[in-house]
């Protein structure tokens, strides 16, 4: 099994790998997927030598990619990447290609339908800009709120234009979502966090994202430092991810909750 290294920080360390080895930084279920892919006969057939590195914080994964500690990362959505680049103009990253949509879900132990949510209910949303904006967009899709025109990937609760049910927003660390379900009536939880807690978004959520024009910015991508965006070896990782046998494994392992999206990057501009 490949060794997995936990980084406590990023600093200015240099990449500790051979030039022919691609280090992929990741966490949660994405890390498990790339550990599997790294050992697969498909990777060997394509001549790709892959090692994984676990970094538990998303912003640290991106910083490590920008600084060269890792070559490519696998964990974030297109909108998260755009938000990171806006906040880090000197360390921008670029997408290599699309991988999947992992539906965000609205969960509740108290209510079984969106229509049952009463006036004044507390809703837990993520406390980081990219995830919070995605949460709010899903609440809008569910018909619970209306957002201001021009709402962006860095939007927050202050951008709620209409709140007919007078929902109260509680900002939380998104990884704690499953743990607060006993105390908060409505909780939005990303699928990676849900899976780690034994929740299945297609079965256990009361409302979840579907792949369409409104959710395309939530499609996950592989990302690398901007200077490496045309690296032909790194681009092979996209083809490898979408290999039929690899997809069979992912679908079986994660119960169809990682919806394959094999689109050109121009998809995000349409």
């Amino acid at each position: 099994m490949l060794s997995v290294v936990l980084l406590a920080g990023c600093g200015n360390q240099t990449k500790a790998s051979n030039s022919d080895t691609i280090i992929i930084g990741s966490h949660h279920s994405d890390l498990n997927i790339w550990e599997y892919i790294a050992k697969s006969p498909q990777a060997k057939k394509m001549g790709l030598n892959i090692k994984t590195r676990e970094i538990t914080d998303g912003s640290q994964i991106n910083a490590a990619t920008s600084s060269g500690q890792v070559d490519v990362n696998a964990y974030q959505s297109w909108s998260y990447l755009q938000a990171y680049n806006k906040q880090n103009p000197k360390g921008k990253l670029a997408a290599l290609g699309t991988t999947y949509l992992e539906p965000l879900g609205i969960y509740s132990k108290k209510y079984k339908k969106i229509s049952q949510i009463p006036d004044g209910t507390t809703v837990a949303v993520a406390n980081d800009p990219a995830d919070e904006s995605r949460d709010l967009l899903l609440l809008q899709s569910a018909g619970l709120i209306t957002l201001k025109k021009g709402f962006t990937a860095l939007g927050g609760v202050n951008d709620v234009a209409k709140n007919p049910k007078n929902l109260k927003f509680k900002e939380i660390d998104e990884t704690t979502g499953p743990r607060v379900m006993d105390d908060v009536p409505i909780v939005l939880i990303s699928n990676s966090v849900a899976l780690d807690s034994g929740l299945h978004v297609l079965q256990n959520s009361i409302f979840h994202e579907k792949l369409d024009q409104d959710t395309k910015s939530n499609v996950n991508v592989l990302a690398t430092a901007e200077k490496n965006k045309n690296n032909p070896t790194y681009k092979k990782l996209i083809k490898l991810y979408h290999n039929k046998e690899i997809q069979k494994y992912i679908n079986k392992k994660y119960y169809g909750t990682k919806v394959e999206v094999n689109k050109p990057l121009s998809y995000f501009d349409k």
Side-chain angles (χ1 to χ4, degrees), residues 153-244:
L154 294 177
V157 294
N158 291 332
D159 297 306
V160 175
K162 295 181 181 180
N163 184 6
K165 285 185 177 288
N166 298 303
L167 301 178
K168 297 174 183 177
F169 299 102
K170 179 181 178 64
E171 296 186 342
I172 63 170
D173 180 330
E174 68 107 10
T175 63
T176 66
R179 298 199 295 275
V180 305
M181 286 180 65
D182 288 329
D183 303 312
V184 183
I186 302 295
V187 184
L188 282 85
I189 306 174
S190 68
N191 193 52
S192 288
V193 175
L195 284 172
D196 287 346
S197 300
L199 295 171
H200 187 308
V201 65
L202 304 181
Q203 296 177 3
N204 303 129
S205 68
I206 61 173
F207 192 86
H208 60 79
E209 291 175 334
K210 296 176 177 60
L211 181 61
D212 55 31
Q213 282 296 105
D214 292 333
T215 60
K216 67 180 182 181
S217 65
N218 298 328
V219 169
N220 274 44
V221 296
L222 294 187
T224 188
E226 192 169 41
K227 66 180 181 181
N228 296 324
K229 65 181 180 181
N230 294 316
N231 184 304
T233 302
Y234 295 176
K235 283 185 172 293
K236 287 182 180 180
L237 294 170
I238 296 296
K239 183 177 181 180
L240 175 60
Y241 178 85
H242 292 293
N243 176 275
K244 184 170 65 175

Side-chain angles (χ1 to χ4, degrees), residues 15-25 49 51 53 61 64-66 68-73 93-94 96 222-225 228 231 234 237:
K15 172 183 167 185
S17 69
N18 298 323
S19 60
D20 62 346
T21 299
I22 303 171
I23 294 183
I24 296 182
N49 183 16
K51 291 188 180 296
R53 182 166 292 172
I61 297 177
T65 307
S66 179
Q69 289 184 48
V70 301
D71 301 306
V72 174
N73 67 52
L93 304 179
L96 292 165
L222 294 187
T224 188
N228 296 324
N231 184 304
Y234 295 176
L237 294 170

Side-chain angles (χ1 to χ4, degrees), residues 7 14 16 27 68 71 78-79 86 91 93 117 120 134 155 163 173-174 232 247:
L7 295 187
T14 57
H27 60 189
D71 301 306
W78 173 259
S79 62
K86 285 181 180 179
L93 304 179
I117 299 173
R134 182 174 179 177
N163 184 6
D173 180 330
E174 68 107 10
Q247 285 302 306

Side-chain angles (χ1 to χ4, degrees), residues 104-107 123-125 135-136 138-139 177 186-190:
L104 170 70
I106 300 175
Y107 293 82
V123 179
V125 297
D135 287 352
L136 293 172
L138 184 58
L139 290 173
I186 302 295
V187 184
L188 282 85
I189 306 174
S190 68

Side-chain angles (χ1 to χ4, degrees), residues 67-116:
S67 68
Q69 289 184 48
V70 301
D71 301 306
V72 174
N73 67 52
Y75 81 98
Q76 68 192 313
S77 67
W78 173 259
S79 62
Y80 189 100
L81 176 63
Q82 301 313 301
Y84 178 85
N85 282 342
K86 285 181 180 179
Q87 295 176 329
N88 298 274
K90 294 184 178 180
K92 285 187 175 181
L93 304 179
L96 292 165
T98 63
T99 51
Y100 63 83
L101 174 72
E102 192 167 35
L104 170 70
I106 300 175
Y107 293 82
S108 177
K109 286 189 174 182
K110 195 169 184 179
Y111 310 111
K112 294 183 178 181
K113 297 179 181 179
I114 292 293
S115 60
Q116 295 175 343

